[in-house]
Amino acid sequence: MKKTGWLVLAAIILGLALVAWWAVPRLAPHSFHGTLMQSPAEAHDFTLISHTGQPVSLSDFRGKVVMLYFGYTFCPDVCPTTLSEAARAMELLGEEADEVQLMMISVDPERDTPASLADYVAHFDPAFLGLTGTPEQIAEIATLYGIFYEKNEGSAATGYLIDHTATITVIDQDGHVKLIFPFGTPAQDLAEDLDYLITH
């Protein structure tokens, strides 16, 4: 084979290698950072009062990806950390963030009024929704989503505190529970999984 032929062959091999390098990661299945759920049933619908004072239902956001979080405004550490990472994930998503809705259901309806929730969620992202209701409503919804919470004694400064499950439940566009993010999931991981759900 002439030298020119060897050069052409080498160029073809290099080109195929570059195509394979580009395509293989894109053809591989997505590796989720959250725990993947395969429930055939739709997520339990509910209606609560939002921080705007208006009733809001989970089903209002059919067609969007919903991040459902149970927390409270007096939470000293876990809730601010989680909501900060969620807000950063929304920034990383850019325009795709419009396809995601975070809803924080208060596990402290005694203190979390719509007004206090409005101030709280806006601190992280103006698009976040804070939701509250009667203690009975909150308890029922939390049970349906496997969320534990319990009031405990705090300090004179904080008043009582609430121990609670700190996961984020992700509900896909069709209304099915798709992922569970554990506490401490970084924003980059949240954004990667959310981006996959939005685009597939």
Side-chain angles (χ1 to χ4, degrees):
M1 184 179 292
K2 294 182 179 179
K3 184 177 180 180
T4 302
W6 282 111
L7 290 174
V8 170
L9 180 61
I12 292 172
I13 292 172
L14 179 60
L16 291 173
L18 288 172
V19 169
W21 172 82
W22 180 87
V24 168
R26 291 157 179 80
L27 295 175
H30 178 75
S31 180
F32 285 101
H33 301 284
T35 301
L36 187 63
M37 309 297 287
Q38 299 290 354
S39 174
E42 291 184 3
H44 299 284
D45 197 12
F46 56 80
T47 301
L48 292 169
I49 300 300
S50 77
H51 67 256
T52 65
Q54 301 300 312
V56 169
S57 300
L58 174 63
S59 55
D60 293 341
F61 299 97
R62 188 63 56 85
K64 286 192 174 189
V65 175
V66 174
M67 288 194 287
L68 187 62
Y69 180 69
F70 290 76
Y72 68 115
T73 64
F74 285 80
C75 183
D77 42 29
V78 172
C79 298
T81 298
T82 300
L83 293 176
S84 293
E85 292 297 327
R88 176 60 182 147
M90 299 293 267
E91 292 177 2
L92 293 172
L93 286 172
E95 292 182 0
E96 287 184 347
D98 292 338
E99 303 301 318
V100 180
Q101 179 62 60
L102 183 136
M103 306 171 79
M104 186 187 94
I105 297 178
S106 172
V107 293
D108 187 15
E110 295 178 38
R111 294 184 293 191
D112 285 347
T113 64
S116 64
L117 282 168
D119 292 339
Y120 188 73
V121 296
H123 173 75
F124 300 98
D125 189 317
F128 287 0
L129 271 176
L131 302 174
T132 189
T134 66
E136 293 76 19
Q137 286 176 308
I138 302 299
E140 180 183 3
I141 297 166
T143 299
L144 290 171
Y145 282 91
I147 302 297
F148 167 84
Y149 63 97
E150 181 179 63
K151 185 187 295 186
N152 287 298
E153 184 178 347
S155 65
T158 63
Y160 64 83
L161 296 174
I162 299 177
D163 291 335
H164 62 94
T165 305
T167 55
I168 296 176
T169 301
V170 179
I171 299 163
D172 68 16
Q173 298 95 323
D174 296 323
H176 296 89
V177 174
K178 193 70 175 181
L179 292 170
I180 303 292
F181 286 122
F183 171 69
T185 303
Q188 184 67 46
D189 291 354
L190 295 174
E192 287 179 8
D193 284 1
L194 293 170
D195 171 71
Y196 183 84
L197 292 180
I198 292 167
T199 56
H200 290 78

